[in-house]
Amino acid sequence: MENKLTNKQKELIESFGVIQEGMGLSPASARVDALLTIADTTELTFDDIRESLELSKSATSNAINNLLMLRRIGYKTKPGDRKRYFHTKLGQWKNTFLDSINGLTAYNEVVKEILTHRTKKTKEFNDQLKDFTEFLAYYQEESIKLITNWKK
Amino acid sequence: MENKLTNKQKELIESFGVIQEGMGLSPASARVDALLTIADTTELTFDDIRESLELSKSATSNAINNLLMLRRIGYKTKPGDRKRYFHTKLGQWKNTFLDSINGLTAYNEVVKEILTHRTKKTKEFNDQLKDFTEFLAYYQEESIKLITNWKK
DNA sequence: TTTTTAGTTCTTTTCAGGCAGAACTAAAAA
DNA sequence: TTTTTAGTTCTGCCTGAAAAGAACTAAAAA
């Protein structure tokens, strides 16, 4: 594809890339996801990505598969065309958000188990922990409400 | 200190440690924070920590300083005693929570800047992004309310 | 003044993650 | 049947993070 990136777009890919690195993505994955969010074409092929970001095939392949696993991107195919057209799923942020909220459950379960095994001698501390786990559960519930009621 | 950990406590330190590694802490930091959450004594010294977790002095020192920087732990001193007594700040989770909510602002700012530079040709996609940034700001506000109104 | 305490800093080792480049593969096209 | 396409997988390198252990340090105690 001839749809070259402007300097501003390259700059934004880096800013957004850095932020997403901070959220646990590898540099390449972070930039692939950023590219799909910033490029004028929202459906890019393997080679579009490879060329735009000047990555090797292996880095491109690994980054794409990583993002697919994380369900942060998806792809479409076109009849009579073997290529896959990748797009970010940032538009479907609701699911991602729900996943991250639900991810707190595992954390809270461990804290609750810690509580059941704590010495009874540290009442104040235990009460604070209890308060925390209760808040977490409440926070999860309310967050889910916020999302499901959003602009509905 | 002679306050030995039970096997169950050791097990909990590992579970909680793993979860906290997943949240970006190094193995040693994750376990130090877990220890302070699980041990019967909530105020532990450098050497208590070192011995309980079988860490080297350098690993202990670095983990502690790391957690202090992240403000996930704090310490007290006692008159006529040069040691520092470290404790987890999980009890003061409200601040940590507020920090993480506020941390979303930087992310949202970049997404908003991306939006201002996006081609106008992808209306649906842009609208979804717009919706997302609006929700993020709303979510931040509401989350802060949830915390400040909690059991008040 | 010397020694002990409570750490910190420096040096070295180990290890995993991330990437490039090359070799490979399965399906489709020629 | 051979070649091209659209990737994937393998090999090897390089770097940075994490930790151990030893050397060091500043303040207090003896």
Side-chain angles (χ1 to χ4, degrees):
Chain A
M1 78 154 198
E2 78 297 348
N3 215 331
K4 282 263 166 208
L5 295 166
T6 64
N7 283 337
K8 185 65 191 177
Q9 284 177 318
K10 287 181 191 168
E11 195 187 291
L12 285 170
I13 288 168
E14 293 309 314
S15 320
F16 198 35
V18 167
I19 285 198
Q20 297 201 108
E21 276 184 62
M23 300 170 85
L25 297 185
S26 73
S29 292
R31 273 144 198 83
V32 169
D33 194 51
L35 172 67
L36 295 174
T37 311
I38 289 157
D40 290 351
T41 314
T42 57
E43 307 276 344
L44 298 181
T45 67
F46 186 97
D47 276 315
D48 294 337
I49 294 170
R50 203 191 104 65
E51 283 162 30
S52 301
L53 299 177
E54 297 170 85
L55 286 172
S56 69
K57 291 178 103 186
S58 61
T60 307
S61 176
N62 291 329
I64 285 175
N65 288 323
N66 178 238
L67 292 169
L68 283 171
M69 265 190 4
L70 296 172
R71 299 190 323 200
R72 297 181 63 126
I73 67 171
Y75 64 85
K76 281 181 188 165
T77 49
K78 301 182 182 183
D81 182 348
R82 225 141 32 88
K83 287 191 282 289
R84 289 182 289 175
Y85 292 80
F86 299 97
H87 56 85
T88 177
K89 282 191 169 176
L90 192 51
Q92 290 108 283
W93 49 269
K94 288 188 191 185
N95 304 313
T96 317
F97 226 105
L98 282 171
D99 287 352
S100 76
I101 297 296
N102 289 325
L104 293 174
T105 303
Y107 178 86
N108 207 15
E109 289 305 318
V110 177
V111 178
K112 281 196 262 180
E113 200 191 349
I114 288 171
L115 251 175
T116 69
H117 291 279
R118 275 206 63 78
T119 175
K120 301 300 162 225
K121 294 180 183 168
T122 56
K123 182 160 185 345
E124 194 188 339
F125 183 75
N126 299 8
D127 286 348
Q128 286 174 351
L129 271 197
K130 185 94 192 303
D131 189 50
F132 177 54
T133 65
E134 286 171 6
F135 177 75
L136 254 189
Y138 171 68
Y139 182 79
Q140 287 184 289
E141 265 181 59
E142 294 301 312
S143 296
I144 290 169
K145 281 189 206 162
L146 289 181
I147 294 166
T148 53
N149 293 333
W150 175 246
K151 288 198 176 172
K152 196 188 62 180
Chain B
M1 79 156 198
E2 78 297 347
N3 215 330
K4 282 264 166 207
L5 295 165
T6 65
N7 283 338
K8 186 65 191 178
Q9 284 177 319
K10 286 180 191 170
E11 195 187 292
L12 285 170
I13 287 168
E14 293 310 316
S15 320
F16 198 37
V18 168
I19 286 197
Q20 296 200 111
E21 277 185 62
M23 299 170 86
L25 296 187
S26 73
S29 294
R31 275 147 197 82
V32 170
D33 195 51
L35 171 67
L36 294 174
T37 310
I38 289 156
D40 291 350
T41 314
T42 58
E43 308 275 344
L44 297 182
T45 66
F46 186 97
D47 277 314
D48 294 337
I49 295 169
R50 204 190 103 65
E51 284 163 29
S52 302
L53 298 177
E54 297 171 87
L55 286 173
S56 68
K57 291 178 102 185
S58 60
T60 309
S61 175
N62 291 327
I64 285 175
N65 288 322
N66 179 238
L67 292 168
L68 284 172
M69 265 193 359
L70 296 172
R71 299 190 323 204
R72 297 180 64 125
I73 65 171
Y75 64 85
K76 281 182 188 163
T77 48
K78 302 183 182 182
D81 182 348
R82 224 142 30 89
K83 287 192 281 290
R84 289 182 291 175
Y85 292 82
F86 298 98
H87 58 263
T88 178
K89 282 192 168 176
L90 192 52
Q92 289 108 284
W93 49 270
K94 288 188 191 185
N95 305 312
T96 317
F97 227 105
L98 282 171
D99 287 352
S100 77
I101 297 297
N102 289 325
L104 292 174
T105 303
Y107 179 86
N108 208 14
E109 289 305 317
V110 177
V111 178
K112 282 196 261 178
E113 200 191 349
I114 288 172
L115 251 175
T116 69
H117 290 280
R118 274 206 63 79
T119 176
K120 301 300 162 224
K121 294 179 183 169
T122 56
K123 182 160 184 348
E124 194 187 341
F125 182 75
N126 299 9
D127 285 349
Q128 287 175 349
L129 271 197
K130 185 93 194 305
D131 190 49
F132 177 53
T133 65
E134 286 171 7
F135 176 74
L136 254 189
Y138 171 67
Y139 182 77
Q140 286 184 289
E141 266 181 58
E142 295 301 312
S143 296
I144 289 169
K145 281 188 206 163
L146 290 181
I147 295 166
T148 54
N149 293 334
W150 176 247
K151 287 199 176 170
K152 196 187 62 179

